[in-house]
Amino acid sequence: MILHTNNHTYKYESEKICRIYFPAEKIIFACDNEELPFDSKTVVTEIQEEAGTLIFSCKAQIDGKSEEYSFSYEKDEKDNESLRERLLAKAVTKVLTAITGIVPPWGLLTGVRPAKLMRKYINTDGEVKAKEIFISFFEVTPEKTELAFEVANYENTCIRMSGKNSFSLYISIPFCPTRCSYCSFVSHSIDKAKKLIPDYINNLCREIEETARIAKELSLSLETVYIGGGTPTSFSAQALKIITSALNESFDMKNVREFTVEAGRPDTIDEEKLSVLKEAGVSRISINPQTFSDSVLEAIGRKHTGKDTEEKYFLARKLGFNNINMDFIAGLPTDSFEGFKKSLDRAVELSPENITVHTLALKRSASIVTENGTDDICTETERMVEYANKVLSENGYHPYYMYRQSKSVGNLENVGWCKKDKPCLYNIYMMEEIHTVLAVGGAAVTKLKDPDSDSLQRVYNFKYPYEYITRFSEIIERKDEIRRFYQGT
Ligand code: SF4
């Protein structure tokens, strides 16, 4: 697709809107006076200013169909970049909806955090007006508006638990048994990276110790811990013991409200590993079916069956885990509405404390896009997500956190559902950027949050395990950023 724009400032927003309609499309920008190259999909956007009036317009030609739309806006005191961006998005949406017949459920909203935006409007304009803004200005459907509202309300209780000095800790283990076809993360195959593991663990423990030293120096209070990845349980029971011991010995864990470990892939879980986690104080784990259909699991490159997931779930219950999450994905290749419904109904019967429903996202580096092609992708994603929302609400689950990803099929959302009083606090704090998240390990990103403003500073670790090991001294040096941020130097 060619996206032509006369204004650089708004080109990414227009691109995001085009992605809602064509998630797997490669979009090439053509700006200002560049000659328009030919493509069967071409979108042209323009903002013109004439004597205090702004004219927003969009023309598109998509596979032989063409449409155009423009409207004017009298400049007033509300005029700013963000408003112009929205108004241009409105023109693009009008045209692409007319051509494709697709009405995006989230309207003009392309951001990752709709609940955060809802909370902002609730605080400034009140509940009724906030919903009205979503529906009338952002063109969000009443159902999605209600969902954002419910999440925002639920989150408030958890946000109030976070104090001025609160922080969460994220420990990254970017290794997995095999690569899922939809994965765009840097996760490494545990077999191929075998040689790196001892050094990785050694450095990870040193980084945990150093981070704990800094947190203590700054009198920060640890609220939640999340060991994620990848699949942390790709590591042996012994390795998990070393890492969790380093954590428990280094940090003051007495105020920790929640300690999660992603035990995502059932084929990595056994009794010994779960026992190590239990003994280390882990209070919540994720065992992620994604689907209970064996043929869909095979199509996405996961080497386990639906039955394996159930067995590992029962094993975790037997060992005393009373807070378990299960992730599902709507729109997986070769899946169908009936297949998704069956998977979700089974999850409801199993009754884990959390169920997270993601929408498939077509990330550029995922093999689903680069190798397999997108032909097999289920076309009933919207119906699946609607079913999930209905069945989970009817069975005592509450939507407690939410985010959206670019390139998600149907421009839908990912929602975490929880049983009463069982939200994952870390997910809320991290997604809504409530407090600092200190992150350790390869591909980890520390997010330093000023408790008195929205200001956020990121400190990046090296992405790949090899660099994480060989350039470790640089990672330790970067920890000074945390001191500087809190001490204001
Ligand atoms: S388990 Fe997660 S991180 Fe690992 S390959 Fe699959 S999607 Fe990627």
Side-chain angles (χ1 to χ4, degrees), residues 48-94:
Q48 283 175 328
E49 195 167 348
E50 285 169 14
T53 302
L54 294 163
I55 301 158
F56 297 87
S57 56
C58 176
K59 284 188 222 165
Q61 251 202 0
I62 308 287
D63 302 328
K65 286 189 193 169
S66 54
E67 276 292 335
E68 59 182 278
Y69 178 72
S70 70
F71 65 95
S72 52
Y73 175 84
E74 296 300 319
K75 271 174 73 174
D76 57 16
E77 71 288 347
K78 285 192 207 142
D79 177 39
N80 61 29
E81 275 195 0
S82 151
L83 179 72
R84 289 184 183 202
E85 196 171 72
R86 289 291 130 221
L87 294 175
L88 188 61
K90 210 177 192 71
V92 180
T93 307
K94 263 272 187 302

Side-chain angles (χ1 to χ4, degrees), residues 175-180 182-185 187 229-231 265 302:
F175 301 94
C176 284
T178 54
R179 196 166 171 80
C180 307
Y182 50 83
C183 183
S184 61
F185 183 61
S187 191
T231 308
R265 302 273 287 257
R302 284 171 75 108

Side-chain angles (χ1 to χ4, degrees), residues 108-269:
L108 315 180
L109 280 192
T110 53
V112 175
R113 302 176 177 85
K116 188 173 186 180
L117 190 67
M118 174 61 85
R119 220 178 22 259
K120 184 188 132 197
Y121 284 118
I122 291 174
N123 290 340
T124 54
D125 299 75
E127 292 185 352
V128 176
K129 184 84 183 144
K131 287 188 192 180
E132 221 177 280
I133 294 170
F134 260 53
I135 294 172
S136 317
F137 183 67
F138 291 112
E139 300 178 12
V140 178
T141 63
E143 294 75 24
K144 298 298 180 200
T145 298
E146 204 49 50
L147 180 64
F149 180 77
E150 275 191 55
V151 172
N153 259 346
Y154 194 100
E155 285 178 338
N156 273 338
T157 329
C158 307
I159 291 169
R160 279 194 286 272
M161 292 180 196
S162 170
K164 245 182 168 300
N165 288 337
S166 296
F167 78 104
S168 290
L169 178 72
Y170 182 79
I171 301 177
S172 166
I173 308 213
F175 301 94
C176 284
T178 54
R179 196 166 171 80
C180 307
S181 65
Y182 50 83
C183 183
S184 61
F185 183 61
V186 292
S187 191
H188 283 55
S189 149
I190 191 84
D191 283 336
K192 287 190 192 144
K194 235 180 200 139
K195 276 194 199 150
L196 302 174
I197 308 294
D199 286 340
Y200 186 87
I201 293 171
N202 191 30
N203 285 6
L204 188 64
C205 292
R206 283 171 57 200
E207 197 186 358
I208 288 171
E209 284 161 22
E210 180 60 18
T211 307
R213 217 180 337 268
I214 296 170
K216 195 171 175 193
E217 221 176 279
L218 298 169
S219 306
L220 300 179
S221 169
L222 183 56
E223 298 278 334
T224 75
V225 178
Y226 197 105
I227 307 187
T231 308
T233 41
S234 302
F235 278 2
S236 65
Q238 196 198 3
L240 292 171
K241 195 169 178 55
I242 294 170
I243 296 164
T244 50
S245 300
L247 170 75
N248 279 315
E249 283 158 23
S250 310
F251 278 94
D252 178 358
M253 301 285 283
K254 71 173 181 300
N255 294 327
V256 170
R257 296 176 193 272
E258 175 188 280
F259 181 178
T260 296
V261 173
E262 281 272 352
R265 302 273 287 257
D267 44 341
T268 63
I269 305 172

